[in-house]
C-alpha cells in the first residue's frame, strides 16, 4: 500500500497552470520533509521542490519562480502550484516524504503533459 498519493496532473498548453496534490498520513506528514520529483521521458528522475515541517522551501533552479510548494496541515496534504508551464516540464511527477535519510517508497505518480 502506497504511503503517499499524488493527484492533479493533466494536459495543459504552454504557459498554463496546474496544481498537484500529495496526500499522506498525519503521522508521516507532521514529521517529514515533503518532496516533489519528476521524470521526463527518456530521462532520469530529478528533484523539483521540497517543503519542511516548518515551512522552509527549496526548489530546483529550473522551476524557481514558476512553481510554489506548500503544505496544508489540516489536510495532511502537500501542493505544487505550477504556473507558466513549459513543454520541458512534461513528465511524471512523484511525491516522497523523507526524514533523517529515510524515504517513503515511490508511488504511481501523476502525469503532467505540456503541449507546445
Amino acid at each position: 500500500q502506497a504511503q503517499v498519493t499524488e493527484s492533479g496532473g493533466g494536459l495543459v498548453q504552454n504557459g498554463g497552470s496546474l496544481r498537484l496534490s500529495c496526500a499522506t498520513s498525519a503521522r508521516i506528514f507532521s514529521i517529514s520533509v515533503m518532496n516533489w520529483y519528476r521524470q521526463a521521458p527518456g530521462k532520469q528522475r530529478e528533484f523539483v521542490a521540497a517543503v519542511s515541517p516548518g515551512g522552509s522551501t527549496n526548489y530546483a533552479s529550473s522551476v524557481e519562480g514558476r512553481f510554489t510548494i506548500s503544505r496544508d496541515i489540516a489536510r495532511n496534504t502537500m501542493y505544487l502550484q505550477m504556473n507558466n508551464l513549459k513543454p520541458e516540464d512534461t513528465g511524471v511527477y512523484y511525491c516522497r516524504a523523507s526524514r533523517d535519510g529515510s524515504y517513503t517508497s515511490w508511488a504511481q505518480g501523476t502525469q503532467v503533459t505540456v503541449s507546445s
Side-chain angles (χ1 to χ4, degrees), residues 54-75:
S56 298
T57 58
N58 186 30
Y59 297 94
S61 58
S62 59
V63 307
E64 186 131 33
R66 299 187 298 121
F67 291 10
T68 303
I69 191 170
S70 61
R71 52 195 298 155
D72 185 334
I73 297 171
R75 291 178 169 81

Side-chain angles (χ1 to χ4, degrees), residues 3 11 15 22 25 38 63 76 104 109 114:
Q3 295 169 296
L11 172 63
C22 171
S25 69
R38 68 185 180 188
V63 307
N76 302 318
T104 54
V114 185

Side-chain angles (χ1 to χ4, degrees), residues 38-46 87-92 94:
R38 68 185 180 188
Q39 187 166 21
K43 295 188 177 181
Q44 289 192 336
R45 208 168 306 194
E46 63 177 2
E88 51 264 42
D89 294 317
T90 294
V92 180
Y94 300 91

Side-chain angles (χ1 to χ4, degrees), residues 4-116:
V4 298
T5 304
E6 306 100 336
S7 62
L11 172 63
V12 295
Q13 292 186 335
N14 189 14
S17 297
L18 281 174
R19 189 178 78 158
L20 306 184
S21 299
C22 171
T24 187
S25 69
R27 179 184 65 83
I28 291 175
F29 191 78
S30 65
I31 64 172
S32 302
V33 175
M34 300 299 293
N35 306 273
W36 283 104
Y37 296 84
R38 68 185 180 188
Q39 187 166 21
K43 295 188 177 181
Q44 289 192 336
R45 208 168 306 194
E46 63 177 2
F47 170 80
V48 175
V51 58
S52 73
S56 298
T57 58
N58 186 30
Y59 297 94
S61 58
S62 59
V63 307
E64 186 131 33
R66 299 187 298 121
F67 291 10
T68 303
I69 191 170
S70 61
R71 52 195 298 155
D72 185 334
I73 297 171
R75 291 178 169 81
N76 302 318
T77 300
M78 170 181 66
Y79 301 101
L80 186 69
Q81 177 67 43
M82 306 186 295
N83 297 328
N84 191 21
L85 282 161
K86 305 175 182 181
E88 51 264 42
D89 294 317
T90 294
V92 180
Y93 283 68
Y94 300 91
C95 165
R96 289 184 100 181
S98 63
R99 177 178 170 82
D100 297 331
S102 296
Y103 288 78
T104 54
S105 56
W106 295 108
Q108 287 190 325
T110 186
Q111 176 71 46
V112 172
T113 303
V114 185
S115 63
S116 58

